[in-house]
Amino acid sequence: MSSLPFRIGFGEDAHRLEAGLPLVLGGVPIPHAELGAVAHSDGDAVLHAVADALLSGLALGDIGQYFPDTAAEWRGMDSRVIVQRALELVRARGYVPGNVAVVVTLDRPKLGPLRADIARSVAGLLNLPESEVGVSFKTSEGLAPAHVQTRVTALLIRPGSVAP
Ligand SMILES: Nc1ccn([C@@H]2O[C@H](COP(=O)(O)O)[C@@H](O)[C@H]2O)c(=O)n1
Ligand SMILES: C[C@@]1(CO)OP(=O)(O)OP(=O)(O)OC[C@H]1O
């Protein structure tokens, strides 16, 4: 069991995009997306990277170990369940999330108008104030138009080990 007051986690995810599929990011359905994620689950690349960031901060592996993409039971699953499980594992080791920073690379549609919705959704899942969830968007500058990529850093704190 770690005795460090802080741990840093990093997660990354990518999904191929195709027409006729839904796009969900951070638990928020993206309206008017021409392309959606090809995935075994609901393909929420933000929540997959959030969960991996939580797990990696405590060297707990990655979501594929807990939710294999070969298991029929996880087909089409709501990725909020993945984050909830990762959070349970983090809490069981005596840590809680302090803040997270999310970067989404997606060419279309523009996500700026949904920034607050995504931050609020991720914050709610992690039991954090919205102000502790940074959300940035980038395009690939046309290099990967049928692709969504996400990267997330997470600070994990052991309550009681640092002055408030
Ligand atoms: N899907 C996206 C991608 C980017 N944005 C915003 O556009 C601005 C410029 O992005 P660059 O990749 O060209 O640097 C930036 O302010 C992003 O927030 C967006 O809203 N949705
Ligand atoms: C979430 C899982 C399981 O349904 O499948 P995908 O939706 O394909 O997502 P990915 O980020 O490729 O890997 C994790 C998987 O185990």
Side-chain angles (χ1 to χ4, degrees), residues 99-155:
N99 76 299
V100 296
V102 178
V103 181
V104 181
T105 303
L106 179 75
D107 281 4
R108 286 159 61 91
K110 283 291 183 191
L111 295 171
L114 296 170
R115 194 187 312 270
D117 291 343
I118 293 172
R120 196 175 306 120
S121 172
V122 172
L125 284 168
L126 300 180
N127 197 30
L128 284 174
E130 206 177 314
S131 56
E132 303 299 357
V133 179
V135 182
S136 311
F137 305 119
K138 303 300 292 180
T139 67
S140 77
E141 298 283 354
L143 292 171
H147 181 250
V148 59
Q149 178 99 35
T150 59
R151 299 175 178 93
V152 172
T153 54
L155 179 69

Side-chain angles (χ1 to χ4, degrees), residues 53-116:
L54 297 179
L55 295 173
S56 81
L58 286 161
L60 295 173
D62 62 53
I63 60 173
Q65 293 174 243
Y66 301 91
F67 300 94
D69 64 7
T70 47
E73 63 188 305
W74 310 129
R75 185 170 293 284
M77 77 181 297
D78 183 334
S79 295
R80 289 177 291 193
V81 172
I82 299 177
V83 174
Q84 282 158 358
R85 178 75 183 124
L87 187 57
E88 281 169 13
L89 290 164
V90 164
R91 285 179 172 154
R93 281 156 183 80
Y95 287 80
V96 294
N99 76 299
V100 296
V102 178
V103 181
V104 181
T105 303
L106 179 75
D107 281 4
R108 286 159 61 91
K110 283 291 183 191
L111 295 171
L114 296 170
R115 194 187 312 270

